[in-house]
Structures are given as C-alpha cells and as structure tokens.
Amino acid sequence: MTDSSSRQQIMANLHRGLNRDTDNSRAKSAVLERISQRPRSTIPARSQLDHSGQVELFKAMALEAVAELLPLDSIDQLPAAVDEFMQQNQQQQLIMASSAQLTALDWSQATHTQIKQRVVLAGDVVSLTSSFAGIAETGTLMLHSGSDSPTTLNFLSDIHLVVLQTSTIVGCYEDGWQALRQQQSDGSWPRTVNMITGPSRSADIEQKLQMGAHGPKRLVIFLVDDG
C-alpha cells in the first residue's frame, strides 16, 4: 500500500468515526446555514438614518478620523482629479488597482502621472483602489482583496487614494457584511476583508501620536456622488 492510499484510508476512518462525509459537504452546509441565520447585533442609533443622512454621517466620521475627502460629481472626473492631486503633492508615479471600475476610465487625462498596475513595492508612495462600501457608523471603508486589487495597495504605500461611491454607503457594519454576502452568494469569498478608518496611527511610544505607524500616513477618499 502506498503512502498516499494509506493516508486516504486513515482519513476515511477518521471521517467515519466523526460521522462526517469524506468531502465535508454536510459540515459546510451546516456552517453556511448557521451564517445565513445569524441574528443582527445591536445597531447604534446614530446610524439609523435615511441614506442622505448616512452619507453625511460618513463624511463627518471620516473627517473626525483624519481622512481627507475630495468630492466628485461623476466617476469620469476621477482621472483628472487624481492627476491634480499628484501634481499638488509633487508625485509622478501611481500604483493602481486593475479593477474594472478604474480601468474603464479615460486615464489619458492624467497627463502628469505615470500609472502602473501591480502590487505595491518598497519605495512606492501613492496607491489607488476602489472600495466595496462605506460604513457611516464610524466613517470606515470596507475593502476586499482580489486578483485585481492586491491587499498591499491598501497598506504599503505612504498615501492611499480610495474611490467611494455614495450609493455604496450603508449605516452600520452589519449592513456592509450583508451586502458582501449578497455579492458573494456563490460562496467565492475574498481572502481578505479590510476595514480602514482614517490613516494609520499609533501613540504606543511615549504616548506621542505617530502617523503612518502601521500603514499609510494619509487616506484620501474621492467621494463620488452617484446618488
């Protein structure tokens, strides 16, 4: 008997002893059922607003967390707005996610910016990503990883530029997770879901606030009014 077949036989015996299917199908079904039936947690009163109120709350909470907001009337304005930001901050190279929302835009308008689509490497200063949702409760961005948006774009650059559409702003975390469950209803969940509230900071050393301690020093949100 080969090592492979011996291992398969041992695992089959263990599954039978635990009353499990060899492919864990029953266990997976039970987990999915438990997730779908999970009750919602207590929702803070401040997030129980109509959508326009949630948008305004998100703005207020994001600014309180030292994020920067740059409003846009249309997603088509993004390339020119990013190019202007890069010039104002004396930056030339932008590392951009390859998500469809971004690649569909006319980046020829960004005449002063060199755009690369790859992971962030040491020395890269500015990155640009899309976001999945905004959480009004705390002014938090909800982003998830994918082949078109590596997680390094969220954390390794000094300046993180993020596109957020007002239509994706929800009141509380539970609504954000519910929206993600609906989008990933086929079970193909992302490897990573990141919640980002303002730029990285820490006061662990001598109680002195240090920006960019564990991630970007600046978080700039291009808030697109697509309502």
Side-chain angles (χ1 to χ4, degrees):
M1 183 178 294
T2 65
D3 291 342
S4 176
S5 59
S6 296
R7 181 180 182 279
Q8 291 175 355
Q9 182 176 343
I10 291 171
M11 295 305 296
N13 290 337
L14 289 173
H15 279 105
R16 282 195 296 271
L18 294 171
N19 194 28
R20 292 180 179 175
D21 300 328
T22 54
D23 60 355
N24 285 329
S25 59
R26 285 186 295 180
K28 291 177 182 177
S29 297
V31 170
L32 292 173
E33 177 67 17
R34 186 168 69 249
I35 291 174
S36 66
Q37 298 299 322
R38 184 186 183 279
R40 290 166 65 88
S41 300
T42 302
I43 308 301
R46 70 171 181 269
S47 67
Q48 298 180 32
L49 305 167
D50 61 19
H51 189 252
S52 61
Q54 291 171 349
V55 171
E56 294 305 312
L57 177 61
F58 176 88
K59 293 178 183 178
M61 298 302 291
L63 291 172
E64 186 174 320
V66 202
E68 302 169 48
L69 293 179
L70 297 178
L72 300 177
D73 295 326
S74 167
I75 188 67
D76 294 328
Q77 296 175 346
L78 181 66
V82 168
D83 195 47
E84 181 179 357
F85 176 89
M86 297 290 285
Q87 292 181 70
Q88 291 176 347
N89 290 272
Q90 300 181 341
Q91 298 295 323
Q92 295 181 334
Q93 180 173 274
L94 175 69
I95 312 303
M96 187 178 81
S98 58
S99 57
Q101 183 191 48
L102 298 179
T103 57
L105 301 175
D106 179 13
W107 287 97
S108 65
Q109 303 174 54
T111 55
H112 298 85
T113 304
Q114 179 186 11
I115 299 173
K116 295 186 177 181
Q117 296 177 15
R118 57 168 170 77
V119 299
V120 171
L121 304 175
D124 291 331
V125 179
V126 188
S127 61
L128 171 65
T129 70
S130 300
S131 59
F132 176 73
I135 312 296
E137 177 183 338
T138 52
T140 297
L141 294 169
M142 186 177 189
L143 303 90
H144 63 71
S145 62
S147 59
D148 58 1
S149 189
T151 300
T152 58
L153 293 169
N154 302 341
F155 296 112
L156 297 187
S157 61
D158 287 339
I159 304 173
H160 184 195
L161 311 181
V162 184
V163 182
L164 175 65
Q165 295 175 295
T166 57
S167 62
T168 65
I169 292 177
V170 297
C172 59
Y173 286 90
E174 284 76 4
D175 290 339
W177 284 111
Q178 182 59 34
L180 185 60
R181 292 187 190 101
Q182 292 174 350
Q183 184 193 73
Q184 310 293 338
S185 58
D186 61 352
S188 57
W189 275 67
R191 292 185 65 186
T192 306
V193 176
N194 298 129
M195 300 291 188
I196 299 176
T197 309
S200 173
R201 74 200 84 179
S202 175
D204 291 343
I205 302 175
E206 298 181 353
Q207 301 301 300
K208 294 180 180 179
L209 183 63
Q210 299 291 327
M211 303 302 290
H214 309 292
K217 297 178 181 178
R218 296 174 64 185
L219 176 65
V220 182
I221 304 172
F222 290 91
L223 189 60
V224 181
D225 185 0
D226 64 337

